[in-house]
Amino acid sequence: MKTGMRHSDYLKNLLEERRHEDKKIDPIHEVGDHITSPPSATSLEENKIISEYLEQKNLQTLANAVPEFKKPLILKKFFKMKRNQEVIVYIDHKANIKEICGKVNAIGRDFVTLTNLKERIWIPYNSIRSANSPSGVPTYESEHQNFIYDNDLKRKLITDFGETVVKREVLIQQFFEESLKGNLERYQGVWVKAVLPDQTVIGKITSVCEECILLHSYGSKKEIAISDLTYICSARLFTQMLLMGKNMIKSMFQ
């Protein structure tokens, strides 16, 4: 709106009007010496609900605009909502649907890791048909919430952020979304069971390249393309001993 006044005169009148305004202290955002700006004109709880709605609406809009990325975007959002909680994942395996249950441990760009009492399971998003929360299981992370303030960790994050984060998987999950290849690189030397559409390979991860992983098992080596994986799970000691026994019997009859 044009006032026909010079800027200096307008500023002088504006400051004078502000001096005569009735000043009201906000009991929420102006307490003591701490002054913060309200996030919006609505109440805090209403703003929180609106923010969550807009986030979900934007996700749906983005997923519909780019259909080829809809599945990983929706799955990633779902698993982040269920972090450290029990979920059921349905995967396609040999023309059937296989159910895998576990707690959400790590969420990456193209995979999710579930853990249970027996094993750790890496599942690529392209193998997942659907995912859900089991009925009757609470949706909170734990019954008791403990808050620990680690001043030493705070200092390390400020002074040496990169080195501190890469040493802890929990911190990596908070600051960075890994790929399946990048996550498996940190598990070199671990025995795993790689499940493919047509076979199952058990071996120790010896190396991980851009498109494949190399498994070593008692004198034999197997190169597996990451794109062919249905899922990978950590191999238990009993499975390793069983495989060793089979190889010993095979060598005796050769």
Side-chain angles (χ1 to χ4, degrees):
M1 183 179 65
K2 295 183 179 180
T3 60
M5 301 174 60
R6 292 180 177 273
H7 180 267
S8 57
D9 296 333
Y10 173 77
L11 184 60
K12 186 185 298 183
N13 292 341
L14 182 62
L15 293 174
E16 187 65 27
E17 290 178 1
R18 289 190 60 185
R19 290 193 191 97
H20 294 88
E21 285 181 353
D22 293 333
K23 297 182 180 179
K24 296 182 180 180
I25 298 178
D26 192 313
I28 297 177
H29 301 286
E30 298 181 33
V31 180
D33 297 331
H34 303 283
I35 301 176
T36 59
S37 299
S40 70
T42 60
S43 60
L44 296 178
E45 71 280 1
E46 184 178 353
N47 181 68
K48 184 69 174 178
I49 294 174
I50 293 175
S51 298
E52 292 178 355
Y53 167 77
L54 290 176
E55 183 179 357
Q56 296 179 9
K57 186 65 177 177
N58 291 337
L59 177 62
Q60 290 290 342
T61 302
L62 180 61
N64 293 330
V66 192
E68 60 269 26
F69 294 116
K70 180 177 182 178
K71 184 177 181 179
L73 284 172
I74 299 297
L75 286 173
K76 191 190 306 181
K77 177 63 177 177
F78 172 78
F79 288 127
K80 285 184 176 180
M81 293 170 59
K82 300 297 180 181
R83 190 186 296 273
N84 297 326
Q85 299 179 27
E86 195 82 15
V87 297
I88 300 177
V89 176
Y90 302 89
I91 63 173
D92 293 315
H93 182 55
K94 294 182 179 179
N96 295 316
I97 299 297
K98 179 180 177 63
E99 294 184 14
I100 299 179
C101 299
K103 286 188 176 182
V104 178
N105 178 261
I107 304 112
R109 294 196 298 269
D110 55 355
F111 77 102
V112 64
T113 301
L114 305 183
T115 57
N116 53 40
L117 295 176
K118 299 179 181 179
E119 55 197 1
R120 174 185 294 267
I121 309 162
W122 292 264
I123 308 175
Y125 290 152
N126 56 13
S127 299
I128 298 177
R129 173 68 68 87
S130 183
N132 194 14
S133 299
S135 59
V137 176
T139 57
Y140 44 80
E141 294 185 4
S142 63
E143 295 182 1
H144 304 282
Q145 297 289 338
N146 298 316
F147 295 92
I148 300 176
Y149 295 91
D150 191 341
N151 291 325
D152 183 57
L153 176 60
K154 179 181 178 181
R155 178 186 59 79
K156 289 180 179 178
L157 287 173
I158 294 174
T159 58
D160 199 352
F161 179 83
E163 185 177 352
T164 303
V165 170
V166 296
K167 290 181 179 179
R168 303 193 186 186
E169 185 172 1
V170 176
L171 296 178
I172 291 176
Q173 295 301 319
Q174 291 182 10
F175 295 105
F176 180 68
E177 288 184 353
E178 293 181 296
S179 64
L180 179 58
K181 173 249 179 186
N183 189 270
L184 290 174
E185 281 182 343
R186 295 191 289 108
Y187 287 89
Q188 293 190 35
V190 175
W191 281 80
V192 297
K193 180 172 68 174
V195 179
L196 306 172
D198 55 348
Q199 62 177 326
T200 299
V201 181
I202 300 174
K204 181 172 62 175
I205 300 177
T206 55
S207 66
V208 181
C209 63
E210 192 66 33
E211 298 180 352
C212 62
I213 61 175
L214 183 63
L215 300 184
H216 186 275
S217 174
Y218 301 109
S220 63
K221 294 183 179 180
K222 181 72 173 180
E223 191 175 89
I224 300 174
I226 296 178
S227 59
D228 294 338
L229 288 170
T230 302
Y231 68 92
I232 303 179
C233 63
S234 54
R236 290 180 287 173
L237 180 61
F238 175 77
T239 305
Q240 299 176 33
M241 295 176 63
L242 184 63
L243 179 64
M244 182 174 63
K246 288 182 178 180
N247 289 335
M248 290 177 62
I249 294 173
K250 187 185 297 184
S251 61
M252 290 173 59
F253 290 96
Q254 286 180 350

